[in-house]
Amino acid sequence: YSLSPAYEERALSVEQFLQQHAKELHGNRNIRLSLPNFGQHELENILKSLNDYNITDLDLSGQKLTDASATKIAAFVKQHKSIQKVNLERNQIGDNGAIALAQAMREKPGLQVELSSNVIQAKGAQAVVEALAMSGATVIRLERNVIGNNGVQQIVAALQKNAGKVNAIYLKHNGITEQSEKDLSSLPQQITYYYRFKTVPFKEAHPTCTALFWCCLPCLLCDCCTTEVDQAGPAGKVLVVEAKRD
């Protein structure tokens, strides 16, 4: 059962939203819950109120949550019986929060936490990767953080020790440069890594593009139009993810 605020409910506080849907929340065993906007000072009371429901997926993305918030969420998910997945993308969580969440994932096998678009650096990224690999995750997404080349070295070392079932890791928009290619190439062969965009002539990338229309024809006939593609390894596989005309 999925529950998220309707347009007319977006002005409600979280408490009002939960009260308004108490019947549905109590009547379902598996609930995917997306909460409306709330202030960080409300977080502790919100988490307490969620203890009464069998929530499996909790979406707290885009709420400007910090390390302190992440630590509270980590404590909550460890003791909540049914939580399996928490979306914390597009927040302001750094290393301390990431480490607290990683510990929660270690203590609760199967728990997955989404942490793209935060401010996680090398130490926090390593902790998250180690925890996700131990939990049986197949895909790790840490795009749009601040991991950098030093963080890549720590992530690679962690996955060399235990890759688990991981078969893909996304690290784009992390300030990672070509200097890290050698490190990334030493990842276990089961893992495809996506770490930066590469600009190529549009006509070279078009065979893998799934969105070609008649308006693309001029771009296929000239060298001045380019597209951004994912640069991936270890097999050098290239996937078109976004097309742009310069």
Side-chain angles (χ1 to χ4, degrees), residues 155-156 159-160 169 183-191 193 234:
I155 289 172
V156 169
L159 290 173
Q160 285 175 336
I169 182 167
D183 293 316
L184 287 165
S185 66
S186 63
L187 280 168
Q189 287 297 306
Q190 72 192 58
I191 300 175
Y193 50 87

Side-chain angles (χ1 to χ4, degrees), residues 68-109:
S69 308
T71 301
K72 292 176 182 177
I73 293 167
F76 165 74
V77 297
K78 282 193 285 188
Q79 55 82 33
H80 195 285
K81 294 181 180 179
S82 59
I83 286 279
Q84 299 172 355
K85 184 177 180 180
V86 183
N87 183 353
L88 293 173
E89 295 178 348
R90 295 181 287 110
N91 281 295
Q92 297 168 8
I93 298 169
D95 279 356
N96 290 337
I99 290 170
L101 291 163
Q103 185 60 36
M105 287 187 274
R106 288 175 179 272
E107 295 181 23
K108 190 172 183 179

